[in-house]
Amino acid sequence: MFKRHKSLASERKKELSSHGATRSTLKNDMRNFHFLSQLILSAGPLKSIPAVKHSKTAHFEVEILDAHTRKQICIVDKVTQTSTIHDVKQKFHKACPKWYPSRIGLQLERGGPFLKDYVTIQSVAASSIVTLYFTDLGQQVSWTTVFLAEYTGPLLIYLLFYLRIPYIYDMKECSRRLRHPVVHLACFCHCMHYIRYLLETLFVHKVSAGHTPLKNLIKGCVFYWGFTSWMAYYINHPRYTPPSFGNRQITVSAINFLICEAGNHFINVVLAHPNHTGNNACFPSPNYNPFTWMFFLVSCPNYTYEIGSWISFTVMTQTLPVGIFTLLMTIQMSLWAQKKHKVYLKKFNSYMRRKSAMIPFILAWNILMASSLLVKEKSAE
């Protein structure tokens, strides 16, 4: 028995000694691992990381020469790659304060096209020195000023003739003759047309921030103001004769005028807020508004409705000055529509195949209505 207890005690000592040995080895391993990790962290990376070299921004010198004499006007330095022509014009204005940015025209070559303000210097630079030719564009005005002046004038001028202020008509004759209802209706339609123009210019159209020469403002005002004076003089004259077919002709043309005015407004709203898919703008598409369905037929329905309004006004008043004005506006707007139609064909070729520029069914209906009335008038004579 004594021997058996002695053997058990010796076995327990061996077990305790083995457990102690394993604990000591674990502690040693943990110490070695901790020491190794500290050594690796303190040693740093195995390979040295090369320092990042920041590339210096390239600068250009812009030499500005007179387009007529080729004499140097100034040198604009420290122009970065991302600088635009507008930035160059601003620096040119600081160097030469008498030249405002709006009247500065810059060209790469003499007689070449003027560079747009958004063009970057990097896109036109062949070396670190860029040579541009300067042309004075003359006194400039903003497009908003042009539109407001062109449309405010006809509104006020027509009202002056409608009120029959002295020194325009014979006041005795005016007091003797009563005005036909079409005279009042024509004044209402004419004023509504230009009031719509003014409101759309201020609140609907996204007018370009660019400028145009002052002579273009003068030309536009002479055209609109002059024709308005001619039309208003005949329509508001005491001896004005009403349309040949009476109230039927007046009513149909007035309704058609209002329809075209509404269509023109809704088309302008759609054009001011086009649809966008990704980064590419889509061609304006018709929506639930029936007036926008004209996009199925033509690419420039705003011009279509505009001409429809003036044809209706011509039939309603039956005066020669209005007819001549309508003819000139039709020619001008057809040229504008053809230019826009070509641009649309390049961008949206698959969508524009079956469209015409401006001539739709509604305009053809106006022309047929006017021609039929003229034929009836001749046959009655």
Side-chain angles (χ1 to χ4, degrees):
M1 288 294 292
F2 178 77
K3 292 181 179 179
R4 185 177 179 184
H5 286 292
K6 190 175 181 179
S7 62
L8 290 173
S10 61
E11 287 178 1
R12 286 180 181 178
K13 287 181 180 180
K14 288 180 181 180
E15 289 179 359
L16 290 173
S17 61
S18 64
H19 284 298
T22 54
R23 287 180 182 177
S24 62
T25 54
L26 287 173
K27 288 182 180 180
N28 292 331
D29 291 341
M30 291 295 293
R31 288 177 183 176
N32 293 334
F33 177 76
H34 180 71
F35 177 76
L36 180 62
S37 62
Q38 291 292 330
L39 180 64
I40 293 173
L41 291 174
S42 62
L46 297 177
K47 293 182 180 180
S48 60
I49 299 174
V52 179
K53 295 182 179 180
H54 298 281
S55 60
K56 296 182 179 179
T57 305
H59 289 82
F60 298 91
E61 287 188 358
V62 180
E63 181 187 22
I64 300 178
L65 307 179
D66 190 287
H68 300 288
T69 62
R70 292 188 178 181
K71 292 183 179 179
Q72 186 185 94
I73 299 176
C74 70
I75 294 178
V76 179
D77 56 354
K78 295 182 180 180
V79 179
T80 61
Q81 296 177 349
T82 58
S83 297
T84 60
I85 295 297
H86 178 72
D87 298 330
V88 175
K89 289 181 179 180
Q90 294 288 344
K91 293 185 178 182
F92 180 46
H93 171 59
K94 290 181 180 179
C96 304
K98 64 178 180 178
W99 306 116
Y100 291 94
S102 60
R103 64 185 299 171
I104 296 174
L106 298 178
Q107 305 161 292
L108 278 176
E109 300 176 354
R110 295 179 63 189
F114 292 106
L115 297 173
K116 301 294 184 182
D117 286 348
Y118 56 81
V119 174
T120 59
I121 291 297
Q122 186 179 9
S123 62
V124 298
S127 62
S128 60
I129 299 177
V130 183
T131 302
L132 300 178
Y133 293 92
F134 160 73
T135 301
D136 181 16
L137 300 178
Q139 187 65 37
Q140 302 286 303
V141 291
S142 65
W143 281 109
T144 303
T145 304
V146 172
F147 295 144
L148 293 178
E150 287 180 351
Y151 303 149
T152 305
L155 178 63
L156 300 177
I157 290 172
Y158 197 97
L159 288 175
L160 292 177
F161 283 92
Y162 175 75
L163 296 174
R164 290 180 176 177
I165 61 175
Y167 310 109
I168 296 179
Y169 304 113
D170 187 359
M171 300 308 295
K172 293 182 179 179
E173 190 174 9
C174 292
S175 60
R176 272 185 256 161
R177 294 175 178 268
L178 295 176
R179 299 191 194 189
H180 193 275
V182 71
V183 177
H184 304 292
L185 182 61
C187 180
F188 170 77
C189 293
H190 190 275
C191 292
M192 184 187 68
H193 178 76
Y194 283 101
I195 289 173
R196 179 182 63 81
Y197 263 0
L198 292 172
L199 293 177
E200 288 179 352
T201 301
L202 295 174
F203 304 110
V204 177
H205 293 301
K206 296 179 180 179
V207 183
S208 173
H211 295 75
T212 185
L214 181 62
K215 61 181 180 180
N216 290 340
L217 171 64
I218 297 174
K219 289 179 182 179
C221 289
V222 168
F223 178 78
Y224 282 101
W225 296 13
F227 265 102
T228 300
S229 302
W230 192 21
M231 292 186 294
Y233 177 81
Y234 277 92
I235 296 173
N236 297 284
H237 199 280
R239 297 183 182 180
Y240 168 73
T241 55
S244 303
F245 296 95
N247 293 333
R248 182 184 299 177
Q249 178 178 345
I250 297 170
T251 304
V252 173
S253 56
I255 293 173
N256 194 51
F257 178 87
L258 296 176
I259 292 173
C260 291
E261 285 293 300
N264 200 343
H265 171 70
F266 288 118
I267 292 298
N268 288 333
V269 171
V270 171
L271 293 175
H273 304 283
N275 297 325
H276 293 274
T277 304
N279 296 324
N280 298 323
C282 298
F283 183 81
S285 57
N287 53 29
Y288 60 88
N289 190 337
F291 291 101
T292 62
W293 297 348
M294 189 66 71
F295 279 115
F296 286 121
L297 304 176
V298 295
S299 58
C300 302
N302 52 329
Y303 296 147
T304 302
Y305 283 119
E306 179 75 12
I307 298 305
S309 295
W310 283 112
I311 291 176
S312 302
F313 195 75
T314 304
V315 176
M316 180 173 63
T317 58
Q318 196 174 313
T319 53
L320 180 63
V322 182
I324 295 175
F325 179 77
T326 301
L327 177 62
L328 295 178
M329 289 293 291
T330 302
I331 295 172
Q332 180 62 68
M333 290 191 176
S334 63
L335 296 176
W336 291 341
Q338 288 295 333
K339 288 182 180 179
K340 288 189 176 182
H341 189 67
K342 290 181 180 178
V343 175
Y344 291 151
L345 283 174
K346 293 180 181 178
K347 292 184 178 180
F348 319 104
N349 190 16
S350 59
Y351 187 75
M352 301 289 296
R353 286 179 183 175
R354 300 181 181 180
K355 291 181 182 291
S356 59
M358 191 184 73
I359 302 297
F361 298 120
I362 193 168
L363 182 58
W365 176 53
N366 281 308
I367 295 173
L368 289 174
M369 183 178 67
S371 61
S372 63
L373 288 172
L374 292 175
V375 170
K376 290 180 181 179
E377 184 179 356
K378 288 182 180 180
S379 61
E381 292 177 354

